[in-house]
Amino acid sequence: MRVGAFILAAQFPGQGQGEALHRAVRAAEVAEEAGLDDVWLAEHHFVPYGVCPSAVTLAALLLGRTRRIGVGTAVSVLPTQHPVALGEQAALLHLTSDGRFTLGVGRGGPWVDLEVFGAGLAAYDHGFPESLDLLLRWLREPRVGAQGERYAFREVAVVPRPDQALGDPDDPCTVPPGPPVVVACTSPSSVRLAAQRGLPMLLGMHCGDEEKAEMVALWRTAAREAGRDGDEIAAAGHVSAGVVQVADGRAGATEALTKAMPGWLRQGLGAHVTVDGRYRAMRDPLAYTELLCRLHPVGPPRLCADRLAASSERTGITRFALLVEGSGDLAATEENVRRLGTEVMPQLG
């Protein structure tokens, strides 16, 4: 089982943006110290829900400050970025970090980001498969050209190539040929898209184990129908996002989140603006926080470990990306990360 910290650089009410980013960086540094396996970084634009606009940029900083821990994006929003530019950055981070970087990509939402970056609503509505396929070609082939609906260009050399890592190819510790890619999935169509390409899923923290198990089952069916190898299907490293708050008692852990998260959610989610004015209903912030506390490892270390183990048993997922900054406080976040690494993870076996 791999346990990682999910970091949004969330700006809680009354906090500055620099404060949110400092807490994000410290959480990642403490995650390495505490023995966590990964950190996962979100990106958002123009909203205090998360003030990191470039997950790959923050990943580069953290890969430079750490030596062991894996660093992934959760996710880089593909419709607002050129797949080749993102592929170049992913290859660079893969090669210079000895293979510690994972590229998570997603479709994002119908936000004003599409207008600001010139992508247009079509990039969100139906352009994601073309962008994803171009990105994958860039990460796997020595030369790439494109003749698609959105991207068309002559063939060019891939530089740097992700498979050019130094090392003996027979050495099991040699850097793999390219950065792993995971896809954020929120619908049956995105599950099938990921499965057809043999890519593992990143499943959201709003989903319970039953829904995640159904998505894993659908992924496996779609992967078999696409001709994927049975061993490849069995080894898929899906990632389950959640929330963690470790405390001596369950009540104290829940209180820490229900006091801080609703204000952040109300301010952060409420700031999203759709590109075409469509209405987007927002979850009730307190009810959503209470749901997350029920679904995820929130409470004493033993309860947290039991919830993670039970979730893995029910879903078949063995990789977790757990939001650690739900208290909104720097010292409390650092303590939460330390306790996750030193008191929860040892109980997982």
Side-chain angles (χ1 to χ4, degrees), residues 11-16 48 260-268:
Q11 183 184 2
F12 286 73
Q15 294 181 351
M261 287 185 66
W264 160 60
L265 291 168
R266 185 176 295 107
Q267 171 181 278

CSV table of all heavy atoms in Angstrom, one decimal, residues 11-16 48 260-268:
chain,number,residue,atom,x,y,z
A,11,GLN,N,-6.4,28.2,0.4
A,11,GLN,CA,-6.4,29.5,1.1
A,11,GLN,C,-7.6,29.6,1.9
A,11,GLN,O,-8.7,29.8,1.4
A,11,GLN,CB,-6.3,30.6,0.0
A,11,GLN,CG,-6.2,32.0,0.7
A,11,GLN,CD,-6.3,33.1,-0.3
A,11,GLN,OE1,-6.4,32.9,-1.5
A,11,GLN,NE2,-6.2,34.4,0.2
A,12,PHE,N,-7.4,29.4,3.2
A,12,PHE,CA,-8.6,29.5,4.1
A,12,PHE,C,-8.9,31.0,4.4
A,12,PHE,O,-8.1,31.8,4.3
A,12,PHE,CB,-8.2,28.8,5.4
A,12,PHE,CG,-8.2,27.3,5.3
A,12,PHE,CD1,-7.2,26.6,4.6
A,12,PHE,CD2,-9.3,26.5,5.8
A,12,PHE,CE1,-7.2,25.2,4.5
A,12,PHE,CE2,-9.3,25.1,5.7
A,12,PHE,CZ,-8.3,24.5,5.0
A,13,PRO,N,-10.1,31.2,4.8
A,13,PRO,CA,-10.5,32.6,5.1
A,13,PRO,C,-9.6,33.3,6.1
A,13,PRO,O,-9.2,32.7,7.1
A,13,PRO,CB,-11.9,32.5,5.7
A,13,PRO,CG,-12.5,31.2,5.1
A,13,PRO,CD,-11.3,30.3,5.0
A,14,GLY,N,-9.2,34.5,5.7
A,14,GLY,CA,-8.3,35.3,6.6
A,14,GLY,C,-6.8,35.0,6.3
A,14,GLY,O,-6.0,35.7,6.9
A,15,GLN,N,-6.5,34.1,5.4
A,15,GLN,CA,-5.1,33.8,5.1
A,15,GLN,C,-4.7,34.5,3.8
A,15,GLN,O,-5.5,34.7,2.9
A,15,GLN,CB,-4.9,32.3,5.0
A,15,GLN,CG,-5.1,31.5,6.3
A,15,GLN,CD,-4.9,30.0,6.2
A,15,GLN,OE1,-4.8,29.5,5.0
A,15,GLN,NE2,-4.9,29.3,7.3
A,16,GLY,N,-3.4,34.7,3.7
A,16,GLY,CA,-2.8,35.2,2.5
A,16,GLY,C,-2.4,34.0,1.5
A,16,GLY,O,-2.3,32.9,2.0
A,48,PRO,N,-9.5,30.8,-4.5
A,48,PRO,CA,-8.8,30.5,-3.3
A,48,PRO,C,-9.0,29.0,-2.9
A,48,PRO,O,-8.4,28.6,-1.9
A,48,PRO,CB,-9.5,31.4,-2.3
A,48,PRO,CG,-10.8,31.7,-2.8
A,48,PRO,CD,-10.7,31.7,-4.3
A,260,ALA,N,-13.0,24.3,10.2
A,260,ALA,CA,-12.2,25.0,9.2
A,260,ALA,C,-12.6,24.8,7.8
A,260,ALA,O,-12.6,25.8,7.0
A,260,ALA,CB,-10.7,24.6,9.4
A,261,MET,N,-13.0,23.6,7.4
A,261,MET,CA,-13.2,23.3,6.0
A,261,MET,C,-14.4,24.0,5.4
A,261,MET,O,-14.4,24.4,4.3
A,261,MET,CB,-13.3,21.8,5.8
A,261,MET,CG,-11.9,21.1,5.9
A,261,MET,SD,-11.9,19.3,5.5
A,261,MET,CE,-12.4,19.4,3.8
A,262,PRO,N,-15.6,24.1,6.1
A,262,PRO,CA,-16.7,24.7,5.5
A,262,PRO,C,-16.5,26.1,5.0
A,262,PRO,O,-16.9,26.5,3.9
A,262,PRO,CB,-17.8,24.7,6.6
A,262,PRO,CG,-17.4,23.5,7.4
A,262,PRO,CD,-15.9,23.5,7.4
A,263,GLY,N,-15.8,26.9,5.8
A,263,GLY,CA,-15.5,28.3,5.4
A,263,GLY,C,-14.6,28.3,4.1
A,263,GLY,O,-14.8,29.1,3.2
A,264,TRP,N,-13.6,27.4,4.1
A,264,TRP,CA,-12.7,27.3,2.9
A,264,TRP,C,-13.5,26.9,1.7
A,264,TRP,O,-13.4,27.4,0.6
A,264,TRP,CB,-11.6,26.4,3.2
A,264,TRP,CG,-10.9,25.8,2.0
A,264,TRP,CD1,-10.3,26.5,1.0
A,264,TRP,CD2,-10.8,24.5,1.6
A,264,TRP,NE1,-9.8,25.7,0.1
A,264,TRP,CE2,-10.1,24.4,0.4
A,264,TRP,CE3,-11.3,23.3,2.2
A,264,TRP,CZ2,-9.8,23.2,-0.2
A,264,TRP,CZ3,-11.0,22.1,1.6
A,264,TRP,CH2,-10.3,22.0,0.4
A,265,LEU,N,-14.4,25.8,1.9
A,265,LEU,CA,-15.2,25.3,0.7
A,265,LEU,C,-16.1,26.4,0.2
A,265,LEU,O,-16.3,26.5,-1.0
A,265,LEU,CB,-15.9,24.1,1.2
A,265,LEU,CG,-15.0,22.8,1.5
A,265,LEU,CD1,-15.9,21.7,2.1
A,265,LEU,CD2,-14.4,22.3,0.2
A,266,ARG,N,-16.8,27.1,1.1
A,266,ARG,CA,-17.8,28.1,0.7
A,266,ARG,C,-17.1,29.2,-0.1
A,266,ARG,O,-17.6,29.6,-1.1
A,266,ARG,CB,-18.5,28.7,2.0
A,266,ARG,CG,-19.6,29.7,1.6
A,266,ARG,CD,-20.3,30.1,2.9
A,266,ARG,NE,-21.0,29.0,3.6
A,266,ARG,CZ,-20.6,28.4,4.7
A,266,ARG,NH1,-19.4,28.9,5.3
A,266,ARG,NH2,-21.2,27.5,5.2
A,267,GLN,N,-15.9,29.6,0.4
A,267,GLN,CA,-15.2,30.7,-0.3
A,267,GLN,C,-14.6,30.2,-1.6
A,267,GLN,O,-14.6,30.9,-2.6
A,267,GLN,CB,-14.1,31.2,0.7
A,267,GLN,CG,-13.1,32.2,0.0
A,267,GLN,CD,-12.1,32.7,1.0
A,267,GLN,OE1,-12.3,33.6,1.8
A,267,GLN,NE2,-10.9,32.0,1.0
A,268,GLY,N,-13.9,29.0,-1.5
A,268,GLY,CA,-13.2,28.5,-2.6
A,268,GLY,C,-14.0,28.0,-3.8
A,268,GLY,O,-13.8,28.4,-4.9
